[in-house]
Amino acid sequence: MSSEPLHRQLGLQDDELDLIRDTLGRDPNRTELAMYAAMWSEHCSYKSSKVHLRTLPTEGPSVLVGPGQDAGAVDVGDGFAAVFKMESHSHPSAIEPYQGAATGVGGIVRDIVSMGARPVALLDPLMFGPLDEERNRWLLEGVVAGIGGYGNCIGVPTVGGEVRFAPPHSANPTVNVLCVGIARADRLMTAATHTPTPGSLMVLYGATTGRDGIGGVSVLASATIEEGSEGSRPSVQIGDPFAEKLLIEASLELIEDDLLEGLQDLGGAGLTCAVSESATRAGLGARLDLDLVPLREEGMEAFEILTSESQERMLAIVHPSNLEHVLAVCAKWGLATAVVATLESGGDLDIRIGGEQAARVPALSLTEKAPVYERLMRPIRPNGDDPTFASFESDLDEALRSLLAAPNVASKRWVFEQYDRMVQGQTVAGPGSDAAVVRVPGTMKGLALSVDGNGRYGSLDPYLGGAHAVAEAARNVAVTGARPLGVTNCLNFGNPERPEVMWQFSEAVRGMRDACLALDTPVTGGNVSFYNESGGSAIWPTPVVGVVGSLADYRLRVPSGFPIPGLAVYVLGESFAELGGSEFAETVLGMVAGAPPALDLQAERRLQDLLQEAAAGDLLASAHDCSDGGMAVALAESAILGGHGFAVTLDGDMPPHVMLFGESASRVVVSVAPEREGSLRGLAATRGVPFRRLGETGGPRAVIDGMVDATVDELTEVWERAIPRLLGEAS
Amino acid sequence: MSARIGVVTFPGSLDDRDALRAIELMGGQGVALWHADRDLRGVDGVILPGGFSYGDYLRCGAIARFAPVMEEIRTFAEGGGPVIGICNGFQILCESGLLPGALIRNRSLRFVCRVVHLRVETTRTPITADATQGEVLEIPIKHGEGQYVAADDVLDRLEAEGRVVFRYCGPDGETSDDHNPNGALRAIAGIRNRAGNVVGLMPHPEHAVDPDVGPTGGQALFASLFTHVMAPAR
Amino acid sequence: MRFTVEVLVTLKPRLADPQGKAVESALPALGWTNVRGVRVGKHVRFEVESDDETSARAQVDEMAARLLSNPVIEDSRILEVREVQRT
Amino acid sequence: MRFTVEVLVTLKPRLADPQGKAVESALPALGWTNVRGVRVGKHVRFEVESDDETSARAQVDEMAARLLSNPVIEDSRILEVREVQRT
Ligand SMILES: Nc1ncnc2c1ncn2[C@@H]1O[C@H](COP(=O)(O)OP(=O)(O)O)[C@@H](O)[C@H]1O
Ligand SMILES: [Mg+2]
C-alpha cells in the first residue's frame, strides 16, 4: 500500500484538501473525502476545461436545453425536441474493450432517458492504433462487439459513426458514443419545468449497488494509465443491457404518466453525483439513508455505496403523493426500488448509515463550487514540411487504390453490420451515408445525424482540427438536405497538466467556437476526455463533433451515391493546392506534415445553405462531401455507393495528384438531372458558391480523364475488402 | 373487418412495436399482448417478435418459453391458430419444442445486420400461402444467434415433409455458402411445424413492409397471413 | 441443508462449435500451434437449499435439463454437489 | 505427450453477473425458490501437445490469461490436465 496521504491516493491535490477544510470548517472524514475526490475529479468537475468551454456559443433560436443538463436539446418542430449528447468511454475500453464500450453505450443512453426522451439512435466515433498490431485488432473487435452487444440488446439502432486509425492511439483507443433521443418538447425533464419541494422523495430504481467501478471517475478517467497499473483494474464494470432496456421502458412510462419531479441517471461518481446534482438543481439539500440502498454485496462501507458506479440505476424525484404509482410502474418492469432520500431545505447533504451520520456536506460544494483551473499553456510550433510541394511520379490509379484501401477511408461495413440499424423502424439512411437520417415518428420530419473529427488535422493544427470537425459534421448533415441545428462534442486529449496539451485543447475549442458561430450551430453539451496518454505520449488531439440537423420532409433526403446513369456531375466549392495533413500524404507519401486545409467559414456557410435550398427544391440526385482522400475518393465513393460509374475531367493549374487527393474544405460532389442543371447553376451563382461541371455519370468505369481509369467493381472490391483483410478474414 | 394479430411483449422484446406498426401499415389490426397474461384477447394469429427476451441470457428464448402467455400460445397453436416466431420468436418456439432444432451462434461469432434474399420453399403456411414456390424475397436479418441446427435425421424429415419454409439465397435464388449469413445447416432461414400453422424464421418481415426505410419482401407475408386468417374455415 | 452446485453444459459433440473454432484459429498467431479440438461450454454455479444431497441432485438434474441446457443441442452434467458448512 | 485440458473462466466475484442474475430471477417462476448466487462461467476444453505435464500446465496458464480470459474482469483456473493414452 502506498504511504501517500488518503486525499492524494484518491486523486485530490493538497490545495483541494485545504478548500474542503475551508468549506466544512473542519477536517473531512473518509467518506466525505471520497465524495469530494469523485465529484472534483477531472471527469466530473471539468475543472481544467471549464474556462475554455465557457467560450463556446450555446444559444440560438432552436436550443431548448443547453449545456449543464444531462443532455442538450434542440427544437425540431411539430412539438418535438431532439435530445442528444456524446460521451467517451476510452479508459475502461483500453483495458476491457467489450465491457468498456458496452457500459459506455449504457451510460449515454441513460443521460438521454433522464431528460425524458426515448433514445432513437446511437453513433460511435472510434479511434484505434494500426491494425497490424494484434492488440489493436483485439481492441477493435472487442469495442465493436461491445457497442453492438449493448446497443442491439436495448433496441436502439446504431445508425452511424466513424473509425479512424493512427499510431498514437495504440495504447489509448478512443471510444466515444453519441445518443439521440426524441421527446415531446413540452415534456422535457428540465430543472425549469420540474421543481421539487422539501419533502419530495428520491427513489433509486434499477440494479443493485455493488463494489464495481469504485474510483472509476477519479482513478480511471482522470489520470493516465501506465503499463500494468493494477490499481485501475477493479474499476471496469459489467454491463447488463437487459436491465437497461427495462430501465428505459419503466422510466419512459413514469414520464408519460407525469409522475416525476426530476430524473437523474447514475453514472460517474454514482449516488454522490446523482444526489448532489438533483439537490443542486432543486436548490435544496437532502437526507440520504444508505441503509435503504439495495446492495449486491455484504459489508459495504458508506464511501463505497456513495461512489459505486454500478450500472443500470436511475434516481427519480417523486412527490409523496405519486410514490405508490411510481413503485407500481417499476414493479411492472421487474425493477427493484428503494426510497433512499428526502429533499430538505438548507442545502446540505445529510448522509446516514447504521443510524449514524456518515457525511454532511453542502450539495453545492460538490457540484457548482468545485474548483476551476486555468492551467498553463504552451504553444507547439508547427512542423515546417509541407507535402503539397512534394513531387509525385508514381501511378495515380494505384494511389487511388491505396487510398480506398486505407483503413481510414475503406468501407466500415465490417463494423456497422454488427449493429442493428433498423430496430424502431425509422432509419431512412443508416451507416454508409454521409449523415444518417432517422424519422421523427408521426411526422414527415427526419433527423440528420453525423459525427466527425480528424485527429491528424488536430495534431498538425488543433485550431483547424476543431473548426474542421464542426464544419465537416455540419456539411455531412447538409449534404442530405438537412439544416444543422446543434452541436455536441467529445474532446479527446492527453494530460491537461502538460502545458502543450492544454494549449492544444484551448486551440481546438477556439476552432470549434469560430465554426459554430459561423455556421449558426450552438453547442448544447459535450464531454471532455483527458489523460489519454501513457509513457508521456498522448493521442492525437481529437475533438469529435456530433451534429443534429432537421429535414422538413425525409422523402427529400439526398443520397450519397450516383443513383442512375446520365446525370451531370458537378463539384460545388473551390479547390486549392493543399495536401498538408491529407490522407494521401500519410498513406502514399508516408508523412504526417504540413498545415491542414484552410477553412473559410463564410464559404462553408454559403455552401451548406445552398445544399439545403437545392435539396428542398429537389435539384440534387446525389451529394457527397470531399473529405479524406479528396476529390478522387469522393467521386469513387459516389460511384461505389450508387453502383454507377462516371467519366469526368479535372483541370486546373495544380499537379494531378494534388487535384485528385488534396483535401480542400467546403467541397461537395453532386449529381444532377440534365433538366435541373440550369436551376442548380443559377442558385449556386446567386448564393455565391463556385461550381464546376466535371462530366457525367454512367457506365461500369470510373474515369478521370488522363489520371484514373478503373472499373467500379474493382474499386468496390478494394474498398470493401480492406478492413476484413487487415483483420485476417478475407482472402 | 380486418385481421386481428397479437404481438407478444416479453421483457427485452425489441421489435414488438415494429411488428405492430407493420400489421397496421398492411391493413391489419395489431393487438399488444403481455408476457405475464394468460389471455390472447381473441386474436386471429400471434406473432412472437424479435429482440432479446430476458437479455437472451443463458440461451436465446430459454427463459421466455416459461412465460405464462406461452401456455396459451401452445393451446392456440394446437388448435391450429397461426403462430409466427420472428428471430427471437423463432428461438422461443424452438426452445418450447413447438418447432424442432435450435439456433446457435452465427458461424462468424458476430452479430449480423444485413438485407438478405430468401427463397420461398413452401406455400403451405399462413405467411406464404399467397406467395409462389421459388419466389425470392428481400428481407433483412439482424441476429447474433441465427445458425439453425438440428440432427441430420431431423433435417431429412423436415425436407421430406416440405417443412423448410425459407432458405437463404442469392438474388437469383441460388443457394451457396457465400449467401449463407450465419452458417445455418442447409441454408435454412425458416421452418414450420407438421400442421403448417406454426412458423419460425430468422429474417424480419416486419422491417420489410415500408419502402421508405427498407426493402418490401415482407409485404407478401403479412398479406398472406391476413388472407389466411380471414378465410372461412377450411 | 445448503449445497454448492456446479453444472457443466456443453454443445453436443456432433455440432460444430463456432466459439471453440475461433479460439483454435486465434492460437497459432500467438505462437501456439500445439492445440486442437477446442470446445467451449458453460459452467453454472449456484447454491441450492434442500433436505439432503439426493434430493438436491435430483432437483439440479431437473433444472439442468429444463432450463440450464437445451437437450436438442447440449449435454449437461453435474460436476459437483458440496454441502456448505455453516459457521 | 498429448494432454486433455479443462480450463474454467469465471467473472471476478465482485463483479455483477447479469446472466447469473437473469437465471436466478427466472427460477422461482418455474417452482424453484431455493436457489441463489447463480454465476455463469466459461468452460474450455482442448488437447495440447507438450513434452511433459509441467510445461503443458505452464502453457495453458498463459493461454488462459492471454486469450481465454481477460484478467481485468475474469479469473481463470485449470480444472484438469490429463494425459491422453495412445491406443
Ligand atoms: N463506428 C461506426 N459505426 C457505425 N457506422 C460507421 C462507423 N464508422 C463509420 N461508419 C459509417 O460509415 C460511413 C463512412 O464513414 P466516414 O468515412 O467516417 O464518413 P464521412 O467521411 O462522410 O464522415 C458513414 O455512413 C458512417 O456513419
Ligand atoms: Mg461525408
Side-chain angles (χ1 to χ4, degrees):
Chain A
M1 260 277 111
S2 141
S3 59
E4 290 253 10
L6 181 62
H7 71 277
R8 282 200 214 142
Q9 287 180 39
L10 293 172
L12 287 165
Q13 308 290 317
D14 293 353
D15 48 357
E16 291 173 337
L17 177 61
D18 292 340
L19 188 58
I20 297 170
R21 287 190 176 122
D22 286 351
T23 309
L24 300 180
R26 59 177 167 82
D27 278 333
N29 64 29
R30 258 167 67 90
T31 304
E32 290 161 343
L33 210 52
M35 293 168 70
Y36 280 104
M39 290 300 290
W40 289 10
S41 66
E42 186 63 60
H43 182 87
C44 287
S45 71
Y46 291 83
K47 58 190 171 191
S48 304
S49 54
K50 225 172 202 163
V51 293
H52 302 283
L53 297 177
R54 278 186 191 134
T55 65
L56 292 169
T58 59
E59 278 164 20
S62 303
V63 178
L64 294 172
V65 180
Q69 304 270 339
D70 286 326
V74 291
D75 188 346
V76 295
D78 294 353
F80 287 98
V83 177
F84 60 109
K85 176 140 183 266
M86 181 154 40
E87 205 155 68
S88 91
H89 232 224
S90 306
H91 294 95
S93 303
I95 53 176
E96 183 10 64
Y98 185 98
Q99 295 297 343
T103 51
V105 174
I108 192 65
V109 165
R110 287 192 296 280
D111 273 323
I112 300 307
V113 171
S114 67
M115 293 299 296
R118 176 173 284 280
V120 299
L122 292 164
L123 294 92
D124 62 333
L126 311 172
M127 286 197 81
F128 300 94
L131 289 179
D132 49 13
E133 275 176 47
E134 197 247 310
R135 190 183 141 78
N136 294 333
R137 294 196 294 272
W138 175 72
L139 286 169
L140 171 71
E141 282 167 12
V143 164
V144 170
I147 287 169
Y150 206 100
N152 297 343
C153 190
I154 59 174
V156 180
T158 300
V159 297
E162 240 197 337
V163 193
R164 289 179 169 275
F165 301 89
H169 288 258
S170 272
N172 293 279
T174 297
V175 177
N176 296 166
V177 184
L178 167 67
C179 184
V180 185
I182 294 177
R184 289 219 330 257
D186 59 356
R187 295 302 273 283
L188 284 173
M189 297 290 299
T190 60
T193 53
H194 294 78
T195 43
T197 47
S200 286
L201 306 170
M202 290 184 164
V203 180
L204 179 66
Y205 63 102
T208 51
T209 300
R211 284 194 176 90
D212 33 8
I214 290 171
V217 289
S218 45
V219 182
L220 196 52
S222 301
T224 56
I225 304 176
E226 298 303 337
E227 280 298 307
S229 55
E230 298 292 333
S232 63
R233 296 202 152 166
S235 296
V236 177
Q237 302 124 50
I238 307 296
D240 182 352
F242 172 54
E244 179 103 341
K245 167 69 177 165
L246 303 178
L247 205 62
I248 295 172
E249 296 304 333
S251 301
L252 293 175
E253 195 168 324
L254 293 172
I255 292 159
E256 186 58 38
D257 293 355
D258 206 6
L259 298 175
L260 305 183
E261 293 180 330
L263 184 60
Q264 172 96 35
D265 63 299
L266 275 80
L271 203 51
T272 303
C273 180
V275 171
S276 59
E277 285 190 359
S278 301
T280 300
R281 263 175 220 160
L284 297 170
R287 186 182 162 119
L288 169 64
D289 189 345
L290 297 180
D291 296 324
L292 301 174
V293 176
L295 301 180
R296 202 178 64 231
E297 296 176 69
E298 281 161 25
M300 283 180 70
E301 292 185 52
F303 86 89
E304 294 177 311
I305 302 172
L306 281 163
T307 62
S308 157
E309 292 179 11
S310 287
Q311 300 289 297
E312 291 95 19
R313 298 178 298 163
M314 301 279 281
L315 189 71
I317 317 295
V318 179
H319 191 270
S321 62
N322 285 327
L323 181 63
E324 214 174 309
H325 195 160
V326 167
L327 299 182
V329 170
C330 290
K332 171 183 162 194
W333 290 101
L335 296 174
T337 43
V339 180
V340 295
T342 311
L343 285 166
E344 291 181 335
S345 48
D348 272 7
L349 298 185
D350 174 1
I351 301 174
R352 309 291 174 116
I353 192 166
E356 290 181 20
Q357 189 162 65
R360 184 171 187 115
V361 300
L364 270 177
S365 69
L366 293 168
T367 53
E368 287 170 12
K369 300 234 166 96
V372 170
Y373 296 131
E374 284 203 41
R375 294 204 188 270
L376 221 56
M377 301 194 279
R378 189 180 307 130
I380 302 170
R381 235 178 264 290
N383 173 335
D385 293 344
D386 191 333
T388 309
F389 307 108
S391 61
F392 183 75
E393 303 299 338
S394 311
D395 188 35
L396 294 169
D397 260 330
E398 203 42 51
L400 175 58
R401 263 183 270 269
S402 310
L403 280 176
L404 289 173
N408 286 339
V409 175
S411 166
K412 305 303 184 297
R413 183 182 304 279
W414 184 91
V415 173
F416 64 67
E417 272 200 349
Q418 297 186 53
Y419 303 150
D420 183 344
R421 62 176 180 275
M422 54 189 69
V423 66
Q424 298 192 15
Q426 308 297 344
T427 309
V428 175
S433 35
D434 286 75
V437 176
V438 173
R439 294 189 297 204
V440 178
T443 74
M444 295 311 291
K445 286 224 148 60
L447 297 181
L449 314 167
S450 177
V451 286
D452 283 284
N454 184 327
R456 197 189 311 109
Y457 288 0
S459 77
L460 294 169
D461 182 337
Y463 171 85
L464 280 175
H468 274 295
V470 174
E472 190 185 339
R475 196 185 312 134
N476 277 324
V477 163
V479 292
T480 67
R483 188 161 74 87
L485 293 176
V487 158
T488 184
N489 63 72
C490 200
L491 307 177
N492 305 282
F493 287 80
N495 178 352
E497 295 158 46
R498 289 203 295 129
E500 292 79 9
V501 170
M502 210 55 230
W503 174 80
Q504 292 173 323
F505 183 81
S506 86
E507 283 293 287
V509 171
R510 192 168 66 85
M512 285 174 38
R513 169 182 179 275
D514 286 354
C516 288
L517 283 171
L519 301 179
D520 227 348
T521 49
V523 175
T524 65
N527 177 246
V528 177
S529 174
F530 278 132
Y531 296 101
N532 291 289
E533 65 176 69
S534 28
S537 131
I539 60 165
W540 276 346
T542 311
V544 174
V545 168
V547 168
V548 172
S550 118
L551 198 57
D553 181 343
Y554 66 82
R555 293 167 307 179
L556 288 177
R557 170 190 84 98
V558 180
S560 310
F562 295 144
I564 47 169
L567 300 167
V569 178
Y570 280 77
V571 61
L572 308 175
E574 203 171 345
S575 305
F576 303 95
E578 296 173 308
L579 267 190
S582 64
E583 185 67 41
F584 175 84
E586 182 174 4
T587 299
V588 180
L589 304 178
M591 60 201 284
V592 175
L599 182 56
D600 175 344
L601 288 165
Q602 291 317 313
E604 180 73 45
R605 177 67 192 260
R606 288 192 293 273
L607 172 75
Q608 294 191 17
D609 288 347
L610 168 66
L611 287 164
Q612 293 158 44
E613 221 175 318
D618 206 7
L619 299 182
L620 303 175
S622 75
H624 183 40
D625 78 311
C626 294
S627 57
D628 307 75
M631 179 93 79
V633 166
L635 285 164
E637 285 178 347
S638 298
I640 292 168
L641 293 169
H644 295 282
F646 59 85
V648 300
T649 308
L650 297 184
D651 43 30
D653 45 13
M654 290 176 238
H657 70 285
V658 180
M659 258 189 292
L660 289 173
F661 306 119
E663 295 179 5
S664 291
S666 317
R667 294 183 303 164
V668 173
V669 168
V670 300
S671 64
V672 193
E675 68 274 16
R676 311 219 161 155
E677 275 185 72
S679 309
L680 181 68
R681 298 172 78 111
L683 196 60
T686 331
R687 295 287 169 260
V689 176
F691 60 89
R692 183 189 283 257
R693 191 180 196 280
L694 303 179
E696 287 97 32
T697 67
R701 307 190 75 80
V703 181
I704 304 177
D705 191 29
M707 303 182 195
V708 169
D709 187 352
T711 66
V712 177
D713 282 350
E714 74 190 274
L715 296 181
T716 305
E717 170 96 3
V718 166
W719 184 72
E720 285 287 2
R721 290 287 171 91
I723 286 183
R725 197 167 278 160
L726 283 164
L727 292 169
E729 289 177 8
S731 40
Chain B
M1 250 186 57
S2 54
R4 295 181 75 239
I5 308 294
V7 177
V8 181
T9 298
F10 297 93
S13 290
L14 303 178
D15 304 277
D16 46 346
R17 291 160 206 269
D18 303 271
L20 288 168
R21 199 181 322 104
I23 291 166
E24 302 278 339
L25 194 84
M26 290 300 298
Q29 189 188 337
V31 179
L33 303 176
W34 184 244
H35 68 105
D37 292 346
R38 292 176 189 277
D39 180 5
L40 298 186
R41 302 174 57 189
V43 295
D44 303 314
V46 174
I47 290 180
L48 300 181
F52 289 72
S53 58
Y54 299 90
D56 271 1
Y57 292 131
L58 202 57
R59 289 181 317 282
C60 305
I63 300 177
R65 83 164 166 111
F66 294 107
V69 77
M70 285 306 295
E71 280 176 40
E72 305 309 310
I73 288 175
R74 186 181 290 275
T75 311
F76 181 73
E78 279 162 6
V83 176
I84 314 301
I86 300 170
C87 196
N88 196 226
F90 185 13
Q91 294 161 340
I92 295 170
L93 290 174
C94 288
E95 280 282 339
S96 318
L98 284 166
L99 290 174
L103 295 140
I104 65 169
R105 281 182 81 170
N106 296 349
R107 182 169 52 172
S108 67
L109 292 181
R110 291 195 300 268
F111 188 95
V112 57
C113 175
R114 120 178 11 147
V115 175
V116 298
H117 293 95
L118 295 181
R119 193 172 71 206
V120 176
E121 300 288 274
T122 172
T123 55
R124 297 194 46 205
T125 80
I127 58 171
T128 54
D130 291 351
T132 39
Q133 192 161 339
E135 187 177 345
V136 175
L137 304 173
E138 248 185 293
I139 297 185
I141 55 165
K142 49 189 190 87
H143 58 246
E145 310 193 20
Q147 179 177 179
Y148 183 76
V149 296
D152 281 337
D153 56 321
V154 175
L155 293 171
D156 290 341
R157 190 152 14 97
L158 285 175
E159 305 265 15
E161 294 172 359
R163 289 168 55 191
V164 174
V165 182
F166 301 108
R167 260 185 252 271
Y168 301 107
C169 65
D172 302 321
E174 71 283 14
T175 53
S176 82
D177 207 46
D178 280 351
H179 294 121
N180 186 336
N182 52 30
L185 295 180
R186 307 191 192 182
I188 291 174
I191 56 169
R192 65 167 173 87
N193 67 350
R194 198 164 278 128
N197 62 317
V198 178
V199 182
L201 72 165
M202 286 315 294
H204 286 263
E206 80 282 19
H207 285 288
V209 292
D210 179 349
D212 288 338
V213 291
T216 51
Q219 290 182 352
L221 306 185
F222 280 97
S224 179
L225 175 63
F226 296 169
T227 328
H228 176 90
V229 301
M230 298 312 283
R234 357 183 140 193
Chain C
M1 285 166 34
R2 174 163 290 284
F3 299 89
T4 297
V5 180
E6 294 183 26
V7 177
L8 180 63
V9 179
T10 50
L11 264 185
K12 285 195 187 295
R14 64 174 164 74
L15 287 176
D17 175 3
Q19 230 181 322
K21 231 176 79 194
V23 171
E24 202 164 323
S25 43
L27 283 165
L30 303 180
W32 287 293
T33 50
N34 53 344
V35 173
R36 59 173 215 197
V38 183
R39 307 284 294 180
V40 181
K42 249 182 314 221
H43 179 271
V44 189
R45 186 199 153 102
F46 53 89
E47 290 194 356
V48 62
E49 187 79 50
S50 188
D51 293 342
D52 54 47
E53 191 177 322
T54 319
S55 104
R57 280 189 180 271
Q59 290 188 58
V60 173
D61 270 332
E62 202 190 326
M63 280 177 219
R66 278 186 65 198
L67 178 68
L68 302 180
S69 76
N70 176 353
V72 172
I73 47 168
E74 293 167 326
D75 296 322
S76 66
R77 94 187 134 88
I78 298 181
L79 287 183
E80 183 169 284
V81 174
R82 187 166 29 87
E83 197 186 336
V84 181
Q85 303 302 339
R86 318 246 166 187
T87 44
Chain D
M1 287 163 42
R2 173 164 290 285
F3 299 88
T4 295
V5 181
E6 294 184 26
V7 177
L8 180 62
V9 179
T10 50
L11 271 182
K12 285 193 188 295
R14 287 224 162 149
L15 293 173
D17 177 358
Q19 187 156 212
K21 205 178 84 190
V23 173
E24 197 166 325
S25 27
L27 284 166
L30 309 186
W32 288 295
T33 51
N34 54 343
V35 173
R36 61 172 214 196
V38 183
R39 309 282 293 181
V40 181
K42 219 166 32 184
H43 178 272
V44 189
R45 188 200 151 103
F46 52 90
E47 291 195 353
V48 62
E49 187 79 50
S50 187
D51 294 341
D52 53 47
E53 189 177 325
T54 318
S55 105
R57 278 187 182 270
Q59 291 188 58
V60 173
D61 270 331
E62 205 190 323
M63 283 175 216
R66 278 184 61 195
L67 182 68
L68 303 179
S69 75
N70 180 355
V72 171
I73 51 166
E74 292 166 324
D75 295 323
S76 63
R77 97 186 135 85
I78 299 181
L79 288 182
E80 183 169 285
V81 174
R82 188 165 29 85
E83 197 186 336
V84 181
Q85 303 302 339
R86 318 245 165 188
T87 45

